[in-house]
Amino acid sequence: PLSGCLLVFFQLPVFAGLYRLLATDITLRQSPLISGMQWCSNLSGPDELCRWPAVLPSFLTSETGWLGPYLNILPLVTIALFIMNQRLLTPPPTDEQQQMQQKMMTFMMLFFAVMFFKVPSGLCLYFIASSIWTLAEHKVLKKNKLAPAAASATTARGK
């Protein structure tokens, strides 16, 4: 079990440093993602798509509530990409224990969604870019792995 989590221990200081940098850096305060757009106008704070206090109970949507008064879309995109990466890159379970572990990882993603909901939008952008890079890399490597196999199969049939 430790070997599966060992890489996380190397990533954790980078994640903590990036979180601290984005939350406290003065130059990123009020720096918009796209100039002239109000939606993500502060990379050192959560993105604020729209107010939603009327939709959910006040203990969740108050200024000090778990979710805050704004709907933040970047954490939701981040978690959707995490789940997509998990589905595409994890091999199908071969026994009941692996199936239970994959279900547990899916529930962990929901926990991450709640945990990520109020992180700085710059950090969510980092995870979105990293997830998209991982998906693209997987697609390219899979394509490159299939090309030599297909070429060797056609030459074997030709002989």
Side-chain angles (χ1 to χ4, degrees):
L2 183 60
S3 65
C5 295
L6 190 60
L7 294 176
V8 174
F9 289 121
F10 294 125
Q11 293 175 353
L12 195 59
V14 173
F15 172 71
L18 190 59
Y19 178 79
R20 183 80 174 148
L21 169 86
L22 290 169
T24 60
D25 190 17
I26 298 297
T27 58
L28 289 177
R29 278 194 210 269
Q30 304 309 321
S31 286
L33 173 64
I34 300 171
S35 190
M37 202 173 186
Q38 278 303 104
W39 156 63
C40 191
S41 62
N42 183 6
L43 289 176
S44 66
D47 65 308
E48 300 171 346
L49 185 63
C50 63
R51 285 187 78 74
W52 64 347
V55 178
L56 294 173
S58 63
F59 73 91
L60 290 174
T61 60
S62 68
E63 290 290 332
T64 58
W66 278 20
L67 301 178
Y70 291 97
L71 172 63
N72 306 329
I73 206 75
L74 288 177
L76 300 177
V77 172
T78 302
I79 296 304
L81 285 169
F82 280 174
I83 291 173
M84 189 183 306
N85 272 335
Q86 179 186 356
R87 302 260 186 220
L88 291 175
L89 302 179
T90 306
T94 56
D95 61 356
E96 193 174 309
Q97 183 180 2
Q98 287 179 348
Q99 187 176 13
M100 185 60 88
Q101 285 177 342
Q102 287 185 1
K103 284 182 184 178
M104 186 65 179
M105 286 302 294
T106 302
F107 289 124
M108 285 294 291
M109 290 300 155
L110 298 175
F111 173 71
F112 279 134
V114 172
M115 195 172 74
F116 270 38
F117 203 74
K118 289 173 78 174
V119 300
S121 56
L123 188 62
C124 285
L125 288 174
Y126 167 77
F127 281 116
I128 288 170
S130 176
S131 295
I132 290 172
W133 180 266
T134 301
L135 286 171
E137 183 180 42
H138 175 70
K139 188 170 182 111
V140 167
L141 289 177
K142 191 174 180 182
K143 191 183 294 184
N144 287 343
K145 190 186 281 187
L146 291 177
S152 65
T154 56
T155 56
R157 275 188 249 145
K159 288 183 180 180

